[in-house]
Amino acid sequence: MKYYSTRNRNLKKSLEEAVIQGLAEDNGLFMPETIPIIEQSLLRNMQRMDFREISLIIAKNFFGTDVPTTDLERITLDAINFDTPLVHLHDRIYALELFHGPTLAFKDVGARFMARLLSYFIKGYTREVDVLVATSGDTGSAVANGFWKIPGIRVRILYPKGLVSTIQEHQFTTLGENISALEISGNFDDCQRLVKTAFLDHELNSRLTLTSANSINIARLLPQSFYYFNGYAKLGSPTQDLVISVPSGNFGNLTAAIIAGKMGLPCKKFIAATNINDVVPEYLQTGKYKPRPSKATIANAMDVGDPSNFDRILDLFGHSHSKISKAISGYSYIDDKIREIIGRIQKKYGYLLDPHGATGYQALVDHSHNVNSITGFFIETAHPAKFRDIVEDVIHKKIDMPLSLQDAMNRTPVKTKLSADYKDLRDYLFAV
Ligand SMILES: *Cc1c(COP(=O)(O)O)cnc(C)c1O
């Protein structure tokens, strides 16, 4: 299968090229030329399958012509080494929990899959590949863990000093092996600028094979469709009124849901749930897309003012606002409301939401007031312990730290401190 650029449908690449390149040379995002259709009978059979079996089916539909079956099975089963259970909350409202992977956030699915697919493609390379990633927190931990001990790949995580949470910092500075953490004296924009400058540095690129692993990579996006099928299958009986609500920042997760819909997942409505960074809900209402600088919130993995996957959503609906606003509804919540939701659901149902999942839950419930009947699940994108301070503050009690987090917290961070001056990063990369 070929992958085209959202800026030019005639610019097409193989899967291997699209994965290694990340972004198309015209700055467009890669999209699969055709979206495979899953037969309804196979959909029904999925009710008897576990998440890994379902993932294999979807992976083969997308990548089966580009990767031999045995390799693809190994990549998929190795990547998907945890479950995404569907948990009933009340009425016909469910949580699809995506936080059971190594870093306790949904980004584990895409990052783990991409790491293994990239490793497969570079098998014949004579030199190691260097993955450079700028992170404000969650991406760094998912990528670092996803690529940990993957042969042939070294990962450099650039993060802003003092601006990621202690938990997040421990998650990517304590792994060792092929993962290096670079603490930059600057902000996230500085980290991104350094990575971009490195990619444009001809001399550096003649000495090293550089690639990125950011969330726009097609190998991170497409595996995210796996768990929507799992959520549907775990509902148990076929439903005609399925609604899926996705807490959104860069909109990769929602894009993957829409792709699952185009593959035949019978979803009546997609919901974009956001914090006050509401450019997409505003677009759905007004038809006008007005990107702006992001504002800081307690659901900080969704603090995005110009979501990179919006171009993919436009592309999937032929740039038609009427089609997009028919398929997707948008809801946004201020921090105080998010706190209120977390407290109320804990009290009423004994279920602890994280700040991101809280928006997804509430959007689903608010939407259900406008329609006759729904069966819906929202995505619980992170474990509440990852946002411990906020959650404990709301429920006035301590919460348990999952073992993997305790483990990371007990290890000593190892990091290299660099200035925000590109020369420092360049010298570092040349030296190692
Ligand atoms: C990344 C992230 C999101 C946003 O996902 P997108 O695919 O960028 O929309 C939501 N919640 C958590 C916990 C995240 O880490």
Side-chain angles (χ1 to χ4, degrees), residues 104-107 137-139 168 215 220-221 224 227 246-255 273 299-304 307-309 354-357 379-383 386-387:
L104 310 179
F106 82 88
K107 291 187 178 70
D138 264 359
T139 297
Q168 286 167 335
S215 64
R220 281 185 60 182
L221 180 80
Q224 294 183 357
Y227 44 73
V246 186
S248 296
N250 258 325
F251 282 78
N253 212 353
L254 186 74
T255 302
N300 63 8
M302 312 199 303
D303 294 349
V304 180
S308 42
N309 284 293
D354 95 291
H356 308 81
I379 302 299
E380 190 26 305
T381 47
H383 193 291
K386 285 197 93 170
F387 301 89

